[in-house]
Amino acid sequence: INTLFQDFESFFNSTKRNFLRDHQKDSDDDTEGILVFQEFKFWLKNWEELLSKDEGGVLQLTFDFYHIFICRSFISEYLDQMEDFPLFLSYTLNTMRKHSFALLKSFLKLPPFLIRGAPILTSHQLLYACLALYDYLHWFDHSDRQKVLNICTRVYWHLNNIGEKMNEATDNVGKIIKSLID
């Protein structure tokens, strides 16, 4: 990840170039696709055994988080260039949305004792996924907007229902998510 961000513009251009090469037909029918970063495919293959032993799901959450982070960075830094390639923009947005939902759904599956003891990074990733969805909420169709509101509400209630031993970080994340929903 550090290597990708050391020359992020080059990574963006390479990703766009590879995407355009692989999708030479400018078919707008296939707008539900997602971007596949070769660096991450390589990482998944090399660390498959470690991922299978990660009971808290921290590695999978981080995997989804970096997809969200990269796609959101693409959109925020290179939107002018992406608007010339609507299919690439659509794939980027779908990738961000799908990994945000994956991260939030994985989080919802965690039992309360893992959430209470979760590293602060997990809380930051959770919040970032919610913010990414809300920042681009107006770009989604009506059913996806409703799904965003529903899953973020479920995350808030999951945090809220953990119980009396809720830590301050979890409480703060819950309050921020609630303010987004409101």
Side-chain angles (χ1 to χ4, degrees), residues 2-17 70 73-74 77-78 81 88:
N2 288 335
T3 304
L4 298 179
F5 281 97
Q6 286 176 348
D7 190 2
F8 192 64
E9 185 174 9
S10 176
F11 175 65
F12 168 77
N13 288 327
S14 169
T15 302
K16 182 177 72 171
R17 186 174 42 256
I70 287 170
S73 297
F74 278 2
E77 292 185 35
Y78 304 109
Q81 294 178 46
F88 180 60

Side-chain angles (χ1 to χ4, degrees), residues 12-26:
F12 168 77
N13 288 327
S14 169
T15 302
K16 182 177 72 171
R17 186 174 42 256
N18 291 339
F19 176 85
L20 294 174
R21 182 194 64 226
D22 294 342
H23 296 88
Q24 286 183 4
K25 314 180 256 182
D26 197 352

Side-chain angles (χ1 to χ4, degrees), residues 133-144:
L133 289 170
Y134 273 93
D135 280 350
Y136 297 99
L137 191 63
H138 61 285
W139 289 16
F140 301 138
D141 65 29
H142 180 71
S143 67
D144 282 337

Side-chain angles (χ1 to χ4, degrees), residues 10 13 18 21-22 45 47 56 65 67-68 70 74 79 89 126 136 143-144 155 157 164-166 176:
S10 176
N13 288 327
N18 291 339
R21 182 194 64 226
D22 294 342
K45 183 174 173 50
W47 298 102
F65 168 75
H67 277 84
I68 300 163
I70 287 170
F74 278 2
L79 181 59
L89 177 58
L126 175 70
Y136 297 99
S143 67
D144 282 337
V155 167
W157 281 111
E164 70 282 349
K165 293 186 180 179
M166 183 183 296
I176 293 169

